[in-house]
Amino acid sequence: MDCLNHTSHRPWPLVDSRPSWRQYWLDLAFFHWPVRKAQIQATLPDGLEVDTYDGDAWISVVPFRMEGVMMRGLPSIPGISNFPELNLRTYVKRDDKPGVWFYSLDADQSLAVWAARKFFHLPYFKANMSSVANADGSIRYRSCRECSGASFEGVYQPVGETYKAERGSLEEWLCERYCLYACSKSGKLYRGEVHHRQWPLQKVQYQIHKNGIGEAFGFDLSDAPYCAQFAKKLEVAVWGVELC
């Protein structure tokens, strides 16, 4: 994986083992909202601390497509390795190691939902989803969760040249995250390492028509996001989760 040859931007050294999974993230949008720190902390399991930027906690909605998802050393499988995904996430830390906490992850692939729940302890849900690239370069995205009807619909389009987030900026703090945290049904905390090159960001124009995926967790995301970014494609290496 080419991304493993580019590590100077990481906040801590690369894991001293080979990644378990490979994947690509495509046509991705970040939408971000500031939230009260206490509101986020009340939703987290014991052992996780809300991470903040200038005193604010944040919630992000991230629609994108996955491609080439497969265990290292195995070929991609048509119909299984490629699918849309939609994440609702916040920002946390444990032992001063910053990462991401997922409230929900929707995917249009039953096997991916099963595997992520079983092996990564992540709250994946099966959803009816589509991510369609239009002739003008925009992405029309929709998701409706099968079990609850929680939905997201919108259109977004990159604008301008690719850039990298400035060191110390809010964009870097929100986007450049290199581990995730998860909690098993028994209450055990896990950490999973990820790696990729620094995000190739672009500004983004967007219209969000529906955004109800935060309601089950007490988050009203009906207002326009405070900031947003787009990324066309990123290669990602993923390690298995470990107790932390």
Side-chain angles (χ1 to χ4, degrees):
M1 300 181 68
D2 180 66
C3 67
L4 298 176
N5 299 317
H6 303 271
T7 62
S8 61
H9 60 289
R10 288 181 55 86
W12 57 81
L14 197 65
V15 180
D16 190 22
S17 63
R18 300 185 70 181
S20 304
W21 294 77
R22 68 176 191 280
Q23 52 197 245
Y24 288 90
W25 300 342
L26 299 97
D27 294 334
L28 179 147
F30 291 107
F31 299 113
H32 311 284
W33 290 261
V35 183
R36 290 184 300 108
K37 176 181 177 180
Q39 185 179 4
I40 297 294
Q41 188 64 57
T43 67
L44 300 178
D46 292 341
L48 282 185
E49 180 184 354
V50 61
D51 201 4
T52 61
Y53 185 90
D54 285 346
D56 289 325
W58 291 81
I59 287 285
S60 299
V61 174
V62 186
F64 64 109
R65 289 189 297 115
M66 303 270 269
E67 284 191 1
V69 179
M70 187 50 63
M71 295 184 69
R72 177 180 53 83
L74 297 179
S76 300
I77 302 175
I80 293 179
S81 297
N82 307 334
F83 51 88
E85 181 166 316
L86 176 69
N87 296 342
L88 176 67
R89 74 189 207 178
T90 191
Y91 304 90
V92 298
K93 56 187 176 181
R94 179 176 171 85
D95 301 327
D96 290 324
K97 195 167 190 177
V100 171
W101 171 260
F102 292 103
Y103 289 105
S104 64
L105 307 96
D106 293 331
D108 191 14
Q109 220 301 326
S110 297
L111 183 58
V113 171
W114 172 83
R117 281 183 170 270
K118 181 174 179 62
F119 298 113
F120 288 85
H121 306 289
L122 290 171
Y124 266 78
F125 297 91
K126 179 67 169 62
N128 297 312
M129 308 175 74
S130 64
S131 176
V132 179
N134 299 317
D136 63 358
S138 64
I139 308 298
R140 183 171 295 276
Y141 198 100
R142 63 171 297 277
S143 175
C144 183
R145 192 176 300 162
E146 290 185 354
C147 64
S148 67
S151 62
F152 175 91
E153 291 186 19
V155 179
Y156 52 89
Q157 182 173 6
V159 178
E161 299 297 321
T162 300
Y163 67 94
K164 295 179 180 179
E166 294 183 9
R167 187 170 297 275
S169 67
L170 175 61
E171 282 189 313
E172 182 193 45
W173 187 90
L174 289 165
C175 299
E176 301 295 338
R177 296 271 161 163
Y178 293 90
C179 74
L180 61 86
Y181 291 94
C183 188
S184 69
K185 293 180 179 179
S186 63
K188 294 180 180 180
L189 277 178
Y190 291 82
R191 180 188 290 126
E193 298 275 347
V194 301
H195 176 70
H196 49 72
R197 300 184 69 165
Q198 192 171 0
W199 279 99
L201 299 175
Q202 290 176 266
K203 302 299 182 184
V204 60
Q205 293 178 342
Y206 59 87
Q207 291 181 321
I208 298 177
H209 305 302
K210 292 183 180 180
N211 187 13
I213 64 168
E215 293 175 0
F217 308 97
F219 302 121
D220 179 4
L221 306 179
S222 58
D223 291 339
Y226 178 86
C227 61
Q229 301 86 25
F230 177 90
K232 183 61 181 177
K233 185 175 182 179
L234 193 68
E235 181 189 47
V236 183
V238 179
W239 282 259
V241 295
E242 297 183 351
L243 285 169
C244 63

